[in-house]
Amino acid sequence: MARIIDFAKHNQQSEGGEVIMGINAMEVEKTQNLDNILTFAKIVLFLANDTSTKLYRTKLHKLLFYVQFIYYKRHRERLLADDFICQRYGPVLPTLDEYLSLIEGVGLIKIVPDQHGSYIVPKKKFADGSYEKELGTIKKVAAKFDTWTAGEISEYSHKEPLWIHTHLHHVIPVNKAEELNDL
């Protein structure tokens, strides 16, 4: 498993509580890439801070899918190293819980259970300067699906050729992002 090393001590924060340096004090196993976790944390924090509704884990799966595939479609590179899997209710990121646990462990988010599932409460906000070219894609996805429920996004994703042409429990190939419907 991952070891978290005194995150607060190694991160510089602005007076508004924005994370400037990122998660540079996190040590993880060889199989996990620090850049991937940092990118994941930046996306989740932006989405959680920017939503007008609660950001449930189920909805987060779908939003991350659209961020990853739209970004790939535009820039021909991945944001996240992990693959999305075609599941009955749409695309899922198998490592979501592990990554959420890591970033909750360093105090960036809090995962709150309620009668509808678990939702993410942001505890910090990355400074806009922390984002590179991914910010435009994240904002576009956040704006499109802001008030949508996880069920509505799931239904929408089922109309995607990428989901239709991928067998259940198989990886949805990111290199086929061109087939993604435009938002």
Side-chain angles (χ1 to χ4, degrees):
M1 284 312 287
R3 270 190 325 133
I4 309 297
I5 299 179
D6 197 11
F7 172 78
K9 212 190 284 185
H10 292 87
N11 281 281
Q12 298 176 355
Q13 295 182 0
S14 70
E15 291 177 20
E18 295 178 326
V19 176
I20 297 170
M21 296 287 293
I23 308 173
N24 61 358
M26 192 183 287
E27 282 189 2
V28 295
E29 288 181 339
K30 294 175 186 174
T31 59
Q32 296 175 334
N33 181 318
L34 184 59
D35 290 337
N36 191 49
I37 295 167
L38 178 58
T39 299
F40 175 85
K42 289 191 312 184
I43 295 168
V44 169
L45 281 174
F46 184 90
L47 293 170
N49 277 297
D50 194 58
T51 187
S52 63
T53 62
K54 291 178 181 175
L55 180 58
Y56 283 93
R57 285 178 52 260
T58 306
K59 182 175 180 176
L60 181 59
H61 276 289
K62 309 326 174 210
L63 295 176
L64 289 168
F65 167 77
Y66 278 103
V67 168
Q68 171 85 317
F69 280 74
I70 290 170
Y71 185 84
Y72 190 90
K73 186 176 181 177
R74 288 180 173 176
H75 302 285
R76 293 286 181 232
E77 61 185 60
R78 300 169 76 106
L79 275 176
L80 301 170
D82 304 89
D83 290 317
F84 285 80
I85 305 297
C86 181
Q87 294 291 5
R88 182 174 177 198
Y89 297 108
V92 298
L93 184 64
T95 53
L96 181 74
D97 290 335
E98 181 180 346
Y99 288 163
L100 287 176
S101 178
L102 284 170
I103 65 174
E104 182 179 38
V106 295
L108 294 178
I109 62 168
K110 177 145 181 70
I111 300 171
V112 180
D114 72 7
Q115 69 274 17
H116 303 293
S118 298
Y119 63 93
I120 292 94
V121 175
K123 296 294 189 184
K124 305 281 184 199
K125 184 177 183 177
F126 277 94
D128 283 350
S130 299
Y131 295 89
E132 295 173 13
K133 57 187 176 184
E134 72 268 20
L135 189 57
T137 301
I138 299 167
K139 283 182 175 181
K140 183 174 186 162
V141 170
K144 168 73 176 183
F145 298 115
D146 182 44
T147 60
W148 293 38
T149 66
E152 291 169 330
I153 301 172
S154 181
E155 192 175 309
Y156 183 85
S157 72
H158 285 188
K159 296 174 185 158
E160 293 289 356
L162 285 168
W163 190 84
I164 293 167
H165 297 119
T166 303
H167 296 288
L168 284 178
H169 312 293
H170 284 92
V171 170
I172 302 169
V174 73
N175 63 345
K176 295 197 174 204
E178 281 297 319
E179 297 176 17
L180 194 71
N181 294 321
D182 288 325
L183 296 184

